[in-house]
Amino acid sequence: MAYRALYNKYRPQTFDEVVGQQGIVRTLKNAIATGKIAHAYLFSGPRGTGKTTMARLFAKALNCEEGRGFQCNHCSNCLSITEGSHPDVVEIDAASNNGVEQVRDLIDKVRYAPIRGRYKVYIIDEVHMMTTGAFNALLKTLEEPPEQVIFVMATTEPFKVPPTILSRLQRFDFSKIPDQGLKNNIVAVLEKEGVSYEDKAVDDIVSLADGGMRDALSILEQVLAYSGEYLREEDVMTIFGLTSTSQKIALLKLIVEKDVSGLLDKLNEFVVGGVDIKRLNSNLLDLLKDALIYQKTRDPSLLSSLNEAEAKEVSSFVDQKLANSMIRVLLKAQTDFKNVSNARSLFELTLLELASVEEEKPAPVQEFEVEDTPVLSKPAPAPVEPIKKVAPKASDVPLFVNNAPAPAEDGPLLVSDPSALSQPGEIVSAIDIGSVKNPDVVSEGDSYSVDDETLINIMVLGSHNKDERRTLNKNWAEIKALKGHPDVGNLATLLSEGHPFCLCKEALLLNFDFTRLAKKANIKANQQAISAMIEQLIGRKVFVYALDRFACNAIYKRYTDLEQLSKLPNKKEISLKLPEGE
């Protein structure tokens, strides 16, 4: 007898053998039992979830010689349906029979009565591949077929089926099979085949199958062809480029220890071993997700990728805040993989970024030494080692204020407190108080909103504004000097809580430590006075927009990511669109 693939050999032969899809099974059973059988059905869902199998089982239940609703698998009808030779159960592959002529031929045959069974059942697989003309030709017959004819259509892409067809069908959406259902079925197949197995190997196959039973059995068959009569985790990992949980935990340890050399060596080891980099990125996300779940619940039954001992091990060196920060980096990398041709290089950059991730806490005050500009250091509980910025000169880079390290020469320079760039003794207020109209600050009202694309454009345009930047750096502390002024004190107090983040010809971005202050600065009623006061400092009117420190960090990270991928907009092509009315 010819060899049969496992997914064919162990295809369910009754409704009770179907794994998952219990809701659909129950609905079809009840419809047969009550005689409320529709003339057309659509089975839609991911590949390998039982659509065609369910259609065959439905045909058996309608035509079994033991009675309607039975699936004895002994009578001639059941056996011939299983073998695919029943004259009244016709399977059509719409991928290769999708034209008008084939549909007309089907329509001609539909009018004849069943030969051996109670019903003629037409199973049309991959129905979304039919042409528009073929659908139109089938429309009338599908709506009012002969009494003993039933259509069952299967597709993985139901959105491609015309609405006129969908409205004439009963639709059943098949879902991915739960992992436990997949595992139980794989184990049952292994026992029937007399194959010993490692439990972790079965778990790996379940993970690779992604909810598809056919995929699971195909993967199992491939691994058994490689390993013989024993299913080993090592063999699954070798064939499909996977890494063991212990290896992934070791990689996380290297990240937390910031061992860059060890990280790159480990990555090279994975690449040489044929590990799928994109899947490894996804696996690290799963590990961190499980670690977070365990830290919050201490319930091992909720874990999917780790056992309790492994979850405890990961939690011992990755706390919740660090895990959240690392998850954000890995999620971004997962998106970026679609846009790069060299996955290894991107993953190397991701590992380097992960190794620099710190816990989410306020950054310590840093001191920067900028050429020709004195610096005032702020008192701190413990000594802070000065970070020196010798090149490029402050006048050769755009002004950004943040707590991240400074990028390359043509990128933004970050400093922790621009007011420290001028000596208090040298400040003589040059702000014309009379030019600041309506200086009262309101706390409620309509606010301005600027999208990320515009913010990135402002940051690109903020490059090399030497004169304006120098003026702003020198005079920013003048705002603080006006905090006690009877007329503009409230306005000066609000602005003094912010720091210039980026300055271009038409706009200034401010960085506030607190979200409520950033929101207050963005209220439209406050914009006129804020803009007028800033105009006194730089000699020109600009639109002023405020961000809190979280938004600042996020937009700066996006800026640097785009810079690394060479996807920053061209300065000459930017047409800055600021909020209407400014």
Coordinates of all heavy atoms in Angstrom, one line a residue, residues 435-450 458 476 479 490-492 494-495 502-503 505-510 512 517-536 538 540-547 578-582:
S435 N 4.9 93.8 25.5 CA 4.6 93.1 24.2 C 3.8 91.8 24.5 O 3.4 91.2 23.5 CB 5.8 92.9 23.4 OG 6.7 92.0 24.1
V436 N 3.8 91.3 25.7 CA 3.2 90.1 26.0 C 1.7 90.3 26.4 O 1.4 90.8 27.5 CB 3.9 89.4 27.2 CG1 3.2 88.0 27.5 CG2 5.4 89.2 26.9
K437 N 0.8 90.1 25.5 CA -0.6 90.4 25.7 C -1.3 89.2 26.3 O -0.9 88.0 26.1 CB -1.3 90.6 24.3 CG -0.6 91.7 23.5 CD -0.7 93.1 24.2 CE -0.1 94.2 23.3 NZ -0.1 95.5 24.0
N438 N -2.3 89.4 27.2 CA -3.0 88.4 27.8 C -2.1 87.3 28.5 O -2.2 86.1 28.2 CB -4.0 87.7 26.9 CG -4.9 88.6 26.2 OD1 -5.5 89.5 26.8 ND2 -5.1 88.4 24.9
P439 N -1.3 87.8 29.5 CA -0.3 86.8 30.0 C -0.9 85.9 31.0 O -0.2 85.0 31.5 CB 0.7 87.8 30.7 CG -0.1 89.0 31.1 CD -1.1 89.1 30.0
D440 N -2.2 86.0 31.4 CA -2.7 85.1 32.4 C -2.8 83.7 31.8 O -3.2 83.5 30.6 CB -4.2 85.5 32.7 CG -4.1 86.8 33.5 OD1 -3.1 87.1 34.2 OD2 -5.1 87.6 33.5
V441 N -2.4 82.7 32.6 CA -2.3 81.3 32.1 C -3.6 80.6 32.5 O -4.0 80.6 33.7 CB -1.1 80.6 32.7 CG1 -1.1 79.1 32.3 CG2 0.2 81.3 32.3
V442 N -4.3 80.0 31.6 CA -5.5 79.2 31.9 C -5.1 77.7 32.0 O -4.2 77.3 31.4 CB -6.6 79.4 30.8 CG1 -7.0 80.9 30.8 CG2 -6.1 79.0 29.4
S443 N -6.0 77.0 32.7 CA -5.7 75.5 32.9 C -6.6 74.6 32.1 O -6.4 73.4 32.0 CB -5.8 75.2 34.4 OG -4.9 75.9 35.1
E444 N -7.6 75.2 31.4 CA -8.5 74.4 30.7 C -8.8 75.1 29.4 O -8.8 76.3 29.3 CB -9.8 74.1 31.4 CG -9.6 73.3 32.7 CD -11.0 73.0 33.4 OE1 -12.0 73.6 33.0 OE2 -11.0 72.3 34.4
G445 N -9.2 74.3 28.4 CA -9.6 74.8 27.1 C -9.1 73.9 25.9 O -8.4 72.9 26.2
D446 N -9.4 74.3 24.7 CA -9.0 73.5 23.5 C -7.5 73.6 23.4 O -6.8 74.6 23.7 CB -9.6 74.1 22.3 CG -11.1 73.9 22.2 OD1 -11.6 73.0 22.9 OD2 -11.8 74.7 21.6
S447 N -6.9 72.4 23.0 CA -5.4 72.4 22.9 C -5.0 72.1 21.5 O -5.7 71.5 20.7 CB -4.9 71.2 23.9 OG -5.2 71.5 25.2
Y448 N -3.7 72.4 21.2 CA -3.1 72.1 20.0 C -2.6 70.6 20.0 O -2.3 70.1 21.1 CB -1.9 73.0 19.7 CG -2.3 74.4 19.3 CD1 -2.1 75.5 20.1 CD2 -3.0 74.6 18.1 CE1 -2.5 76.8 19.8 CE2 -3.3 75.9 17.7 CZ -3.1 77.0 18.5 OH -3.5 78.2 18.2
S449 N -2.6 70.0 18.9 CA -2.1 68.6 18.8 C -1.2 68.5 17.5 O -1.7 69.0 16.4 CB -3.2 67.6 18.7 OG -2.7 66.3 18.6
V450 N 0.0 68.0 17.7 CA 0.9 67.9 16.5 C 1.3 66.4 16.3 O 1.6 65.8 17.3 CB 2.2 68.7 16.8 CG1 3.2 68.6 15.6 CG2 1.8 70.2 16.9
I458 N 10.0 68.9 12.1 CA 10.6 70.0 12.9 C 12.0 69.7 13.4 O 12.9 70.5 13.3 CB 9.7 70.4 14.1 CG1 8.4 71.0 13.7 CG2 10.4 71.3 15.1 CD1 7.3 71.1 14.8
W476 N 17.6 81.9 27.9 CA 16.5 81.2 28.5 C 16.3 81.4 29.9 O 15.1 81.5 30.4 CB 16.7 79.7 28.2 CG 15.5 78.8 28.6 CD1 15.3 78.1 29.7 CD2 14.2 78.8 27.9 NE1 14.1 77.5 29.8 CE2 13.4 77.9 28.7 CE3 13.8 79.3 26.8 CZ2 12.1 77.6 28.3 CZ3 12.5 79.0 26.4 CH2 11.7 78.2 27.1
I479 N 13.7 84.0 31.5 CA 12.3 83.6 31.8 C 12.2 83.3 33.3 O 11.2 83.7 34.0 CB 11.9 82.5 30.9 CG1 11.8 82.9 29.5 CG2 10.5 81.9 31.4 CD1 11.4 81.8 28.5
N490 N 3.1 84.2 36.3 CA 2.5 82.9 36.1 C 2.9 82.3 34.8 O 3.3 81.1 34.7 CB 0.9 83.0 36.1 CG 0.4 83.2 37.5 OD1 1.1 83.0 38.5 ND2 -0.8 83.8 37.5
L491 N 3.0 83.1 33.7 CA 3.5 82.6 32.4 C 5.0 82.2 32.5 O 5.3 81.2 32.0 CB 3.3 83.7 31.4 CG 3.7 83.4 30.0 CD1 2.9 82.3 29.4 CD2 3.6 84.6 29.1
A492 N 5.8 83.1 33.2 CA 7.2 82.7 33.3 C 7.4 81.5 34.1 O 8.3 80.7 33.8 CB 7.9 83.9 33.9
L494 N 5.4 78.9 34.3 CA 5.1 77.8 33.5 C 6.2 77.5 32.5 O 6.7 76.3 32.4 CB 3.8 78.0 32.7 CG 3.4 77.0 31.6 CD1 3.1 75.6 32.2 CD2 2.1 77.5 30.8
L495 N 6.7 78.5 31.8 CA 7.7 78.3 30.8 C 9.0 77.8 31.5 O 9.8 77.0 30.9 CB 8.0 79.5 30.0 CG 6.9 79.9 29.0 CD1 7.2 81.2 28.3 CD2 6.8 78.7 27.9
C502 N 13.8 71.4 20.7 CA 14.2 71.6 19.3 C 13.7 72.9 18.8 O 12.6 73.3 19.0 CB 13.7 70.4 18.5 SG 14.1 70.5 16.7
L503 N 14.6 73.6 18.0 CA 14.2 74.9 17.5 C 14.5 74.9 16.0 O 15.6 74.5 15.5 CB 15.1 76.0 18.1 CG 14.9 77.4 17.6 CD1 13.5 77.9 17.8 CD2 15.9 78.3 18.2
K505 N 13.1 77.2 12.2 CA 12.8 78.5 11.8 C 11.3 78.9 12.2 O 11.0 80.0 12.6 CB 12.9 78.7 10.3 CG 12.6 80.1 9.7 CD 12.8 80.2 8.2 CE 12.4 81.5 7.7 NZ 12.6 81.6 6.2
E506 N 10.4 77.9 12.2 CA 9.0 78.2 12.4 C 8.5 77.7 13.7 O 7.3 78.0 14.0 CB 8.2 77.6 11.2 CG 8.6 78.2 9.9 CD 8.0 77.3 8.8 OE1 6.9 77.6 8.4 OE2 8.7 76.3 8.3
A507 N 9.2 76.9 14.4 CA 8.6 76.2 15.6 C 9.7 75.9 16.6 O 10.9 75.8 16.3 CB 7.9 74.9 15.2
L508 N 9.2 75.9 17.9 CA 10.0 75.5 19.0 C 9.3 74.4 19.8 O 8.1 74.6 20.1 CB 10.2 76.7 19.9 CG 10.9 76.4 21.3 CD1 12.3 75.9 21.2 CD2 10.8 77.7 22.2
L509 N 10.0 73.3 20.1 CA 9.5 72.3 20.9 C 10.0 72.4 22.3 O 11.3 72.6 22.5 CB 9.8 70.9 20.3 CG 9.4 70.6 18.9 CD1 9.8 69.2 18.5 CD2 7.9 70.8 18.7
L510 N 9.2 72.3 23.3 CA 9.6 72.4 24.7 C 9.4 71.0 25.4 O 8.4 70.3 25.1 CB 8.8 73.5 25.5 CG 8.9 74.9 25.0 CD1 8.1 75.8 25.8 CD2 10.4 75.3 25.1
F512 N 8.8 69.2 29.0 CA 8.3 69.4 30.3 C 8.5 68.0 31.1 O 8.2 67.0 30.5 CB 6.9 69.9 30.4 CG 6.7 71.3 30.1 CD1 6.6 71.7 28.8 CD2 6.6 72.3 31.1 CE1 6.5 73.1 28.4 CE2 6.4 73.6 30.8 CZ 6.4 74.0 29.4
L517 N 1.8 70.0 32.9 CA 2.3 71.3 32.5 C 2.4 71.4 31.0 O 2.2 72.4 30.4 CB 3.7 71.5 33.2 CG 3.7 71.6 34.7 CD1 5.1 71.7 35.2 CD2 2.9 72.8 35.1
A518 N 2.8 70.2 30.4 CA 2.9 70.2 28.9 C 1.5 70.5 28.3 O 1.3 71.2 27.3 CB 3.4 68.9 28.4
K519 N 0.4 69.9 28.9 CA -0.9 70.1 28.4 C -1.3 71.5 28.6 O -2.0 72.1 27.7 CB -1.9 69.1 29.2 CG -1.8 67.7 28.8 CD -2.8 66.8 29.5 CE -2.7 65.4 29.1 NZ -3.7 64.5 29.8
K520 N -0.9 72.1 29.7 CA -1.3 73.5 30.0 C -0.6 74.4 28.9 O -1.3 75.4 28.4 CB -0.9 73.9 31.4 CG -1.3 75.4 31.8 CD -0.8 75.7 33.2 CE -1.5 74.9 34.2 NZ -1.2 75.4 35.6
A521 N 0.6 74.2 28.6 CA 1.3 75.0 27.6 C 0.7 74.9 26.2 O 0.9 75.8 25.4 CB 2.8 74.6 27.6
N522 N 0.1 73.8 25.9 CA -0.5 73.6 24.6 C -1.9 74.1 24.5 O -2.5 74.0 23.4 CB -0.5 72.1 24.3 CG 0.9 71.6 23.9 OD1 1.7 72.4 23.5 ND2 1.2 70.3 24.2
I523 N -2.5 74.6 25.5 CA -3.9 75.2 25.4 C -3.8 76.4 24.5 O -3.0 77.3 24.6 CB -4.4 75.6 26.8 CG1 -4.6 74.3 27.7 CG2 -5.7 76.4 26.7 CD1 -5.0 74.6 29.1
K524 N -4.7 76.5 23.6 CA -4.7 77.5 22.5 C -4.8 78.9 23.1 O -4.1 79.8 22.6 CB -5.9 77.3 21.6 CG -5.8 76.0 20.7 CD -6.9 75.9 19.8 CE -6.8 74.6 19.0 NZ -7.9 74.5 18.0
A525 N -5.5 79.1 24.2 CA -5.6 80.4 24.8 C -4.3 80.9 25.4 O -4.1 82.1 25.6 CB -6.7 80.3 25.9
N526 N -3.4 80.0 25.7 CA -2.1 80.4 26.2 C -1.0 80.6 25.1 O 0.1 81.2 25.4 CB -1.5 79.3 27.2 CG -2.4 79.2 28.4 OD1 -3.1 80.1 28.8 ND2 -2.5 78.0 29.0
Q527 N -1.3 80.2 23.9 CA -0.3 80.2 22.9 C 0.2 81.6 22.5 O 1.4 81.9 22.3 CB -0.8 79.6 21.6 CG 0.1 79.6 20.4 CD 1.3 78.7 20.5 OE1 2.3 79.0 19.9 NE2 1.3 77.8 21.4
Q528 N -0.7 82.6 22.5 CA -0.3 84.0 22.0 C 0.7 84.6 23.0 O 1.8 85.1 22.6 CB -1.5 84.9 22.0 CG -1.2 86.3 21.5 CD -2.4 87.2 21.5 OE1 -3.5 86.8 22.0 NE2 -2.3 88.4 20.9
A529 N 0.5 84.4 24.3 CA 1.4 85.0 25.3 C 2.7 84.2 25.3 O 3.8 84.8 25.4 CB 0.8 84.9 26.7
I530 N 2.7 82.9 25.2 CA 3.9 82.1 25.2 C 4.7 82.4 24.0 O 5.9 82.6 24.1 CB 3.5 80.6 25.2 CG1 2.9 80.2 26.5 CG2 4.8 79.7 24.9 CD1 2.4 78.7 26.6
S531 N 4.1 82.5 22.8 CA 4.8 82.8 21.6 C 5.5 84.2 21.6 O 6.6 84.4 21.2 CB 3.8 82.7 20.4 OG 4.5 83.0 19.2
A532 N 4.7 85.2 22.3 CA 5.3 86.5 22.4 C 6.5 86.6 23.3 O 7.5 87.3 23.0 CB 4.2 87.5 22.9
M533 N 6.5 85.8 24.4 CA 7.6 85.8 25.3 C 8.8 85.1 24.6 O 10.0 85.6 24.8 CB 7.3 85.1 26.6 CG 8.4 85.2 27.6 SD 7.9 84.7 29.3 CE 7.0 86.1 29.8
I534 N 8.6 84.0 23.9 CA 9.7 83.4 23.2 C 10.3 84.3 22.1 O 11.5 84.3 21.9 CB 9.2 82.0 22.6 CG1 8.7 81.1 23.7 CG2 10.3 81.4 21.8 CD1 9.8 80.7 24.7
E535 N 9.4 85.1 21.5 CA 9.9 86.0 20.4 C 10.9 87.0 21.0 O 11.8 87.4 20.3 CB 8.7 86.7 19.8 CG 9.0 87.6 18.7 CD 7.8 88.3 18.1 OE1 6.7 88.1 18.6 OE2 8.0 89.1 17.1
Q536 N 10.7 87.4 22.3 CA 11.6 88.3 22.9 C 13.0 87.7 23.1 O 14.0 88.4 23.0 CB 11.1 88.8 24.3 CG 9.8 89.5 24.2 CD 9.9 90.8 23.5 OE1 10.8 91.6 23.8 NE2 9.0 91.1 22.5
I538 N 14.4 85.2 21.0 CA 15.1 84.8 19.8 C 14.9 85.8 18.7 O 15.4 85.6 17.6 CB 14.6 83.4 19.3 CG1 13.1 83.4 19.0 CG2 15.0 82.3 20.3 CD1 12.7 82.0 18.4
R540 N 12.2 86.4 16.9 CA 11.3 86.0 15.8 C 10.1 85.3 16.4 O 10.2 84.7 17.5 CB 12.0 85.1 14.8 CG 12.6 83.9 15.4 CD 13.4 83.0 14.5 NE 12.5 82.4 13.5 CZ 12.5 82.8 12.2 NH1 13.3 83.8 11.8 NH2 11.7 82.3 11.3
K541 N 9.0 85.3 15.7 CA 7.8 84.6 16.2 C 7.8 83.1 15.7 O 8.1 82.9 14.6 CB 6.6 85.3 15.7 CG 5.3 84.7 16.3 CD 4.1 85.5 15.9 CE 2.8 85.0 16.6 NZ 1.6 85.7 16.3
V542 N 7.6 82.2 16.6 CA 7.6 80.8 16.3 C 6.3 80.2 17.0 O 5.8 80.7 18.0 CB 8.8 80.1 16.8 CG1 10.1 80.5 16.0 CG2 9.0 80.2 18.3
F543 N 5.9 79.1 16.4 CA 4.9 78.3 17.0 C 5.5 77.4 18.1 O 6.5 76.8 17.9 CB 4.2 77.4 16.0 CG 3.2 76.4 16.6 CD1 2.0 76.8 17.2 CD2 3.5 75.0 16.7 CE1 1.1 75.9 17.7 CE2 2.7 74.1 17.2 CZ 1.5 74.5 17.8
V544 N 5.0 77.4 19.3 CA 5.5 76.7 20.5 C 4.7 75.5 20.8 O 3.5 75.7 21.0 CB 5.7 77.7 21.7 CG1 6.4 76.9 22.8 CG2 6.5 78.9 21.3
Y545 N 5.3 74.4 20.9 CA 4.5 73.1 21.2 C 5.3 72.4 22.3 O 6.5 72.3 22.3 CB 4.4 72.2 20.0 CG 3.5 71.1 20.2 CD1 2.1 71.2 20.3 CD2 4.0 69.8 20.3 CE1 1.3 70.1 20.5 CE2 3.2 68.7 20.5 CZ 1.8 68.9 20.6 OH 1.0 67.8 20.9
A546 N 4.5 71.9 23.3 CA 5.1 71.3 24.5 C 4.9 69.8 24.4 O 3.8 69.3 24.0 CB 4.6 71.9 25.7
L547 N 5.9 69.0 24.9 CA 5.8 67.6 25.1 C 6.3 67.2 26.5 O 7.1 67.9 27.0 CB 6.7 66.8 24.1 CG 6.5 67.1 22.6 CD1 7.5 68.1 22.1 CD2 6.6 65.8 21.8
L578 N 1.9 73.4 10.3 CA 1.7 73.6 11.7 C 0.2 73.8 12.0 O -0.6 74.0 11.0 CB 2.4 74.9 12.2 CG 3.9 74.8 12.1 CD1 4.6 76.2 12.4 CD2 4.5 73.8 13.1
P579 N -0.3 73.7 13.2 CA -1.7 73.8 13.5 C -2.3 75.1 12.9 O -1.6 76.1 12.9 CB -1.8 73.8 15.0 CG -0.6 73.0 15.4 CD 0.5 73.3 14.4
E580 N -3.5 74.9 12.5 CA -4.2 76.1 11.8 C -4.3 77.3 12.7 O -4.6 77.2 13.9 CB -5.6 75.6 11.3 CG -6.0 76.3 10.1 CD -7.3 75.7 9.6 OE1 -7.4 74.5 9.5 OE2 -8.2 76.5 9.3
G581 N -4.0 78.4 12.1 CA -4.2 79.7 12.9 C -2.9 80.2 13.4 O -2.8 81.3 13.9
E582 N -1.8 79.4 13.2 CA -0.5 79.9 13.7 C 0.5 80.0 12.6 O 0.5 79.2 11.7 CB 0.1 78.9 14.8 CG -0.7 78.8 16.0 CD -0.8 80.1 16.8 OE1 0.1 80.9 16.7 OE2 -1.9 80.3 17.4

